[in-house]
Amino acid sequence: MDTPTAAADEHMAEAIGRPDLIRVDDRLICLRFETMKVVSALAAVRHLLDSGAVRRGDTLLDSSSGIYAYALALACHRYGMRCHIIGSTTVDHTLRTQLAVLGAHVEQMPPSSDLKLDQKRRVARVREILRVHPEYHWMRQYHDDVHYLGYRAIAERVRAAVPADGSPLTLVGGVGSGASTGALARYLREGREGSGNRAGPVRLTGVQPFGSVTFGSEHVADPEIIIAGIGSSIPFGNVTHTAYDTVHWLSFHTALTGSVDLLRRHAVFAGLSTGASYAAARWEHARVPGGTTVFIAPDTGHRYVDTVFARHQEAADLDDLAPRTVSSLDELALPWARMEWNGAPAPAQASAGTGTGDGSGWVDVVRPG
């Protein structure tokens, strides 16, 4: 009798976007991706093709600091599209080489120590290109909710892996663009609400760096390093603030401690935003006995070898760290703060001008100044 085998993937992007579910403690689960944004890019491009918004051979344009550029290049390669990237000054040689071989056209901004200036330059360049080439499609990854679509299948996978016994489920992840946590919470809530009494409530915990406008911490600067991918210096249209129950703000050093502890204790080699989410998830998990907590690991730790893992001796004991619970954004302070958000709307700075940005935020670890 032949042993059944799984069907082969049709493209590398599909394999990269398939996450692993790793139990790191009793009912504490890591949703680990190699490159998470491939999930949203693939589904977005497929939807645009199916709906007739674009056709094969069209050019898809966006600004990126790196991760989304790679995801979009893979999606364009998969579906026969042209890819044009306005890259941040932080895009490194390795990524530029990969993008070039994949067929993407990359314009990189000149060196700058000011992320806001870097973003403004990219916005200006995108608009220049659209004036000359109005036929190009601007993906606007941080403002177009087409990027939610790919996470429905991920939510179904999570739902199948966690107990449906009426116990609560807590999802923890870096907010970033808002697409991953927002979409997963939406689809998980839909699924559990429709599965009868066996389903418990779904709580969403967002993780932020200090200095991000998204949840109102722009007045608190982290003196060391801005945490990758989970905050922004501009408003993002894809963040549904009312979906979040709790928000954690973590310093670079707290996130470093989380990343090192996750590797040392559980052999999960993941990025800095994962370390922050893991630390927050452990804290939330301990507050809900009998519940299940899933935290998102959006990428591997390879980009963080020098900035994080080479400094592993600086890591504190994660068991000794705890957030300070605050009731007002004015009380936010390093190194770690936690607030019951309770579905509140966006702070003023996070809602001003939403949808007019360039679709690019903090994606790499950047040293201020």
Side-chain angles (χ1 to χ4, degrees), residues 48-49 52-60 79-82:
L48 292 171
L49 284 166
V54 299
R55 296 178 297 177
R56 288 183 182 270
D58 284 354
T59 297
L60 305 184
Y79 290 117
M81 313 294 291
R82 293 184 174 88

Side-chain angles (χ1 to χ4, degrees), residues 1 4 28 48 84 99-100 105 134-135 173-174 199-200 223 240 277 341 345 360 365:
M1 180 177 178
L28 178 59
L48 292 171
H84 192 134
L99 294 174
H105 177 69
E135 75 278 11
T240 305
S277 296
W341 193 258
S360 180
V365 174

Side-chain angles (χ1 to χ4, degrees), residues 18-233:
R18 185 182 305 109
D20 303 306
L21 286 159
I22 304 168
R23 185 176 67 83
V24 300
D25 206 341
D26 183 31
R27 292 198 175 207
L28 178 59
I29 298 171
C30 176
L31 180 63
R32 177 200 173 273
F33 293 85
E34 182 173 340
T35 303
M36 183 179 68
K37 288 191 177 181
V38 170
V39 172
S40 57
L42 277 176
V45 175
R46 179 71 263 170
H47 175 78
L48 292 171
L49 284 166
D50 290 346
S51 65
V54 299
R55 296 178 297 177
R56 288 183 182 270
D58 284 354
T59 297
L60 305 184
L61 170 70
D62 215 342
S63 163
S64 173
S65 299
I67 297 299
Y68 186 76
Y70 180 53
L72 184 59
L74 284 170
C76 287
H77 188 277
R78 168 70 176 85
Y79 290 117
M81 313 294 291
R82 293 184 174 88
C83 181
H84 192 134
I85 298 294
I86 309 302
S88 168
T89 183
T90 58
V91 175
D92 62 26
H93 174 71
T94 300
L95 179 56
R96 287 198 308 272
T97 302
Q98 285 180 280
L99 294 174
V101 175
L102 284 169
H105 177 69
V106 181
E107 297 183 41
Q108 188 168 12
M109 293 295 100
S112 172
S113 60
D114 185 338
L115 273 183
K116 290 185 179 180
L117 176 60
D118 182 69
Q119 287 180 328
K120 288 178 181 177
R121 286 172 171 170
R122 283 184 275 147
V123 172
R125 181 57 185 150
V126 166
R127 296 192 184 284
E128 286 176 359
I129 292 170
L130 289 173
R131 282 195 292 269
V132 177
H133 295 284
E135 75 278 11
Y136 286 8
H137 184 87
W138 185 10
M139 292 298 293
R140 302 176 74 246
Q141 60 148 327
Y142 289 97
H143 305 293
D144 189 338
D145 64 4
V146 70
H147 292 91
Y148 271 48
L149 299 176
Y151 292 104
R152 183 179 290 277
I154 306 301
E156 292 172 357
R157 186 165 184 184
V158 171
R159 187 182 304 117
V162 302
D165 56 4
S167 61
L169 170 64
T170 301
L171 177 68
V172 182
V175 177
S177 72
S180 59
T181 50
L184 285 171
R186 176 189 295 178
Y187 298 139
L188 284 169
R189 284 166 174 164
E190 288 177 357
R192 288 172 81 87
E193 289 169 1
S195 58
N197 293 329
R198 297 181 63 198
V202 177
R203 286 181 55 83
L204 178 58
T205 296
V207 177
Q208 284 275 278
F210 290 98
S212 171
V213 304
T214 308
F215 280 89
S217 68
E218 64 272 10
H219 60 291
V220 183
D222 190 331
E224 185 135 18
I225 294 179
I226 295 168
I227 300 177
I230 62 175
S232 175
S233 61

